[in-house]
Amino acid sequence: MSSQIGKKLRISVFGESHGNGIGAVIDGFPAGVVVNTKELMNFMARRAPGRDKTSTQRRENDLPTVLSGIQGNITCGTPIAAVIKNSDQQSGDYRNIAAVARPGHADYTGYLRYQGFNDIRGGGHFSARLTAPLAFAGGLCRQYLAQKDIYIGAHLKSVGSVHDDAFNDLDISESILRDIGEKNFPVLNEESEEKMREVIEKARSEGDSVGGVVEVAVSGMPAGIGSPIFDTVEGRLAYGYYGIPAVKGVEFGAGFGATLLKGSENNDEFYVDNDGAIKTKTNNHGGILGGISSGMPIIARIAFKPTPSISKPQHSVNYRKNTNTEMVVKGRHDPCVAVRAVPVVEAMTAIVIMDMLLEQEGE
């Protein structure tokens, strides 16, 4: 299924942006896991719209109704199903573009793929609205992983040309990953926040948008996870990341920067620390060697394109009439999708890592 991910932990998402609701079904989640509901709701609230001017002003509570799989805040081992109601749709904003391809969107390709029967309101099933149930599923996975001392956190590495500090890829504590998630604006260096907000506000006031990069880290990942050639840690994570709307690039460790280094500079030398653990002196490999986790922190960076929904006039086509036209996109949209994508990246990372661990453990 195109809207399903996972092998041992299978997660499918359903719904459309302006339909009655959206949701997820999680199959393979172990029984007996205690769910901290408050923590889960706080995690989902980080993704929810309408928090400030850096996001769309569409207002949704994003409160999931759990239909099955959790009783008394403990997982049953049976499929977990949850629905999130849509309550602030403005579908009239899309009447003028029912057959006009919005530049940067999947309107035209979706029309071809589904023979014109796809729901185009708010992007339909292509919408970033579908990341809400992903946040629900990933929030549960984060709690499961934390019980195994595996922690995941992310921050805005850049917005436009403004950069935040990078994670310390050799030593990332639980407290750092937790603290970044408690901030209203997810940056490590508070001086970056004001500059990033200025870039986003300038784009918004001009009826435009801006892209960004999210950096995510996994601390406590055990060594030896991953199966070459095609079930590598990078491959599984990248597969998940590209399921997040607006993602256009993924790199691990030094990534493309490794092309500027010599082998003697890029190689991470091994050593045994005072506790007898095998580590590397640097972490250009981003915690993954040969597609298998090395025990060092996993570091990845995910690039998000500028929000394609902008209010500037743009040239396009009416794909039903096969004619040229000009259009203006209406509606409420994020001037920078990367801001609210931070917890979504964390959620997807948790989903993939948990799935790989369950597979390795044979659960």
Side-chain angles (χ1 to χ4, degrees):
M1 291 177 61
S2 60
S3 298
Q4 184 181 80
I5 188 171
K7 295 188 176 183
K8 297 292 288 187
L9 180 72
R10 296 173 299 282
I11 296 172
S12 60
V13 294
F14 62 86
E16 286 82 32
S17 178
H18 285 212
N20 291 329
I22 54 180
V25 177
I26 308 166
D27 197 1
F29 202 98
V33 178
V34 178
V35 177
N36 185 324
T37 304
K38 181 179 178 181
E39 180 181 319
L40 179 60
M41 293 302 99
N42 287 341
F43 178 70
M44 294 186 67
R46 291 170 53 198
R47 191 223 66 91
R51 299 180 72 184
D52 59 31
K53 291 194 294 185
T54 64
S55 74
T56 173
Q57 292 308 293
R58 176 176 177 172
R59 295 192 176 276
E60 299 282 1
N61 291 326
D62 281 359
L63 295 176
T65 298
V66 177
L67 305 179
S68 65
I70 300 176
Q71 277 283 355
N73 293 330
I74 300 176
T75 60
C76 303
T78 53
I80 299 170
V83 175
I84 300 170
K85 291 291 185 180
N86 291 328
S87 60
D88 191 22
Q89 310 97 309
Q90 291 184 8
S91 301
D93 291 335
Y94 297 90
R95 292 193 186 116
N96 69 319
I97 56 171
V100 177
R102 291 170 296 168
H105 281 277
D107 300 336
Y108 174 60
T109 53
Y111 170 78
L112 296 176
R113 173 65 178 81
Y114 298 108
Q115 299 85 48
F117 293 104
N118 55 302
D119 186 348
I120 62 96
R121 300 170 302 165
H125 191 64
F126 295 98
S127 172
R129 180 87 186 110
L130 273 294
T131 60
L134 279 177
F136 170 79
L140 290 174
C141 295
R142 288 174 86 249
Q143 293 189 25
Y144 173 87
L145 293 174
Q147 294 177 17
K148 294 181 174 292
D149 295 323
I150 300 172
Y151 302 98
I152 297 169
H155 70 113
L156 269 177
K157 181 64 178 66
S158 65
V159 168
S161 60
V162 178
H163 289 260
D164 187 26
D165 296 343
F167 278 129
N168 178 345
D169 59 6
L170 292 175
D171 183 20
I172 305 176
S173 67
E174 172 197 352
S175 61
I176 290 175
L177 299 180
R178 182 184 64 249
D179 291 348
I180 191 69
E182 294 177 355
K183 293 185 176 181
N184 290 328
F185 197 85
V187 290
L188 297 173
N189 187 336
E190 293 183 0
E191 294 181 2
S192 305
E193 176 178 350
E194 183 177 354
K195 296 176 182 178
M196 287 182 178
R197 285 186 178 275
E198 288 175 356
V199 171
I200 295 171
E201 175 57 25
K202 184 174 187 296
R204 189 193 67 80
S205 65
E206 295 173 349
D208 218 326
S209 62
V210 63
V213 174
V214 174
E215 183 177 53
V216 63
V218 182
S219 174
M221 180 72 174
I225 305 298
S227 300
I229 296 178
F230 299 113
D231 269 343
T232 64
V233 178
E234 298 109 313
R236 297 274 283 268
L237 283 171
Y239 180 81
Y241 294 147
Y242 279 114
I244 302 172
V247 169
K248 299 302 290 185
V250 177
E251 67 175 11
F252 296 89
F256 286 99
T259 65
L260 305 176
L261 303 176
K262 295 179 180 178
S264 57
E265 297 170 313
N266 185 62
N267 287 347
D268 301 308
E269 296 182 332
F270 289 94
Y271 74 101
V272 178
D273 70 6
N274 295 331
D275 297 322
I278 295 177
K279 295 184 177 180
T280 57
K281 295 181 179 179
T282 52
N283 192 14
N284 291 319
H285 67 289
I288 307 165
L289 287 167
I292 303 170
S293 60
S294 69
M296 297 296 290
I298 292 177
I299 303 290
R301 283 171 293 279
I302 298 90
F304 287 82
K305 68 180 182 180
T307 314
S309 294
I310 58 176
S311 58
K312 290 178 175 290
Q314 300 176 87
H315 295 288
S316 187
V317 297
N318 184 309
Y319 45 78
R320 293 186 184 271
K321 297 179 180 179
N322 205 36
T323 58
N324 293 310
T325 187
E326 188 176 89
M327 68 173 306
V328 173
V329 177
K330 298 180 181 179
R332 302 155 295 172
H333 309 285
D334 293 77
C336 180
V337 295
V339 178
R340 289 201 296 132
V342 170
V344 180
V345 168
E346 293 179 21
M348 184 57 73
T349 304
I351 288 169
V352 173
I353 295 298
M354 180 175 172
D355 185 34
M356 297 191 77
L357 285 176
L358 292 178
E359 192 175 14
Q360 187 91 352
E361 296 167 358
E363 295 239 0

